[in-house]
Amino acid sequence: MIVNPVLSKEIPLPAVRIGASGVAPAKTILFGEHAVVYGEPGIAIPLWEIQTSARLLPFPTDDTAQEFRIVSESAELDAAFSDLSESNPLKKLIRLIQEAFSIPVLPDCILEIQSAIPIASGLGSGAAASVAIIRAFAAAYGLELSDEKTSELAFEIEKCYHGMPSGLDNTTISFGKPLFFRKGKGFEPIHLPDRLRLIVADSGLKSVTSEVVADVRASYHQFAPVIREIGQLVRKARTALENGDLFATGALMNENHRLLQKMTVSNEKLDDLAAVALQNGAIGAKLTGAGRGGNLLALAETAPDTLRIHNALEKAGARIIR
Ligand code: MEV
């Protein structure tokens, strides 16, 4: 029971289903990262092969503390909610969920987060964790939550991770489909060629999105023409993708990478991996996400090409994500 401050009387706590869970995919940006922050379009797709899940679990019987806690092996976290600092994005998210779902008191359980999405690698690990947790709480309290509302809540937490996010990550991850997105203007689903052989290769270098975004912002005046060029390129890429024109798509990926280099968000490792992919038959290659680390995206025409590019990227030190 809790005391309703308005009625000054005890009311029952909302029923909660322990064991409820939520999932969310990773995402990769095909075209337009960084420029999307300044109102240019971006194209991104969910990566359902790698996911984050969140579950509300009962306390273990030997747990004497019996306090709501968050456990995540991938994030190396095992902490009581009360011990987390107020600036912790997970704590902010839980508080936001409590407010949005009218949950006055946290449930008696453990929130377990499991993620196969590498952290700080441009694949939307932060947004995926937010979406999975929001969905787990919605399921636990029997709430039907639209993808739009889920995205809206996750966007609030994206501000902690990115500073000034475009909203592309949380939108792609919440709606779980390929989309053409414009900040503040929503998105249109886009149709991708049936066999889009995309290789996602992790450079192993971590990068902090908010720092890279802040650096670009600091040089915005210098980069403004490049940002507009990327915007034009993304519009062409949409046509190429919707026409199923793989070669045009690949050429635009290469051009997008070149423009991101101009914005100083690539680095030697990503440039080397792009060169390896192209030398081994990729039709196009570019960094994906904030850059200065994280993942490379390469496009292959055939299954044997895909295998050759995989092997070559692995030999060059990358970890194949897909
Ligand atoms: C990060 O995944 C993508 C950026 O464009 C930032 C954003 O869109 O908020 C670099």
Side-chain angles (χ1 to χ4, degrees), residues 25-53:
K27 66 93 215 287
T28 183
I29 299 179
L30 300 191
F31 294 99
E33 46 275 271
H34 287 291
V36 72
V37 173
Y38 303 94
E40 297 298 341
I43 297 176
I45 61 168
L47 294 175
W48 282 103
E49 301 88 337
I50 37 170
Q51 300 185 355
T52 296
S53 67

Side-chain angles (χ1 to χ4, degrees), residues 27 29 32-34 36-37 122 162 164-169 209 213 289-290:
K27 66 93 215 287
I29 299 179
E33 46 275 271
H34 287 291
V36 72
V37 173
H162 288 201
M164 292 271 280
S166 65
L168 177 56
D169 289 15
T209 300
V213 169

Side-chain angles (χ1 to χ4, degrees), residues 161-179:
Y161 292 117
H162 288 201
M164 292 271 280
S166 65
L168 177 56
D169 289 15
N170 51 284
T171 307
T172 310
I173 288 169
S174 299
F175 284 85
K177 52 184 155 201
L179 43 91

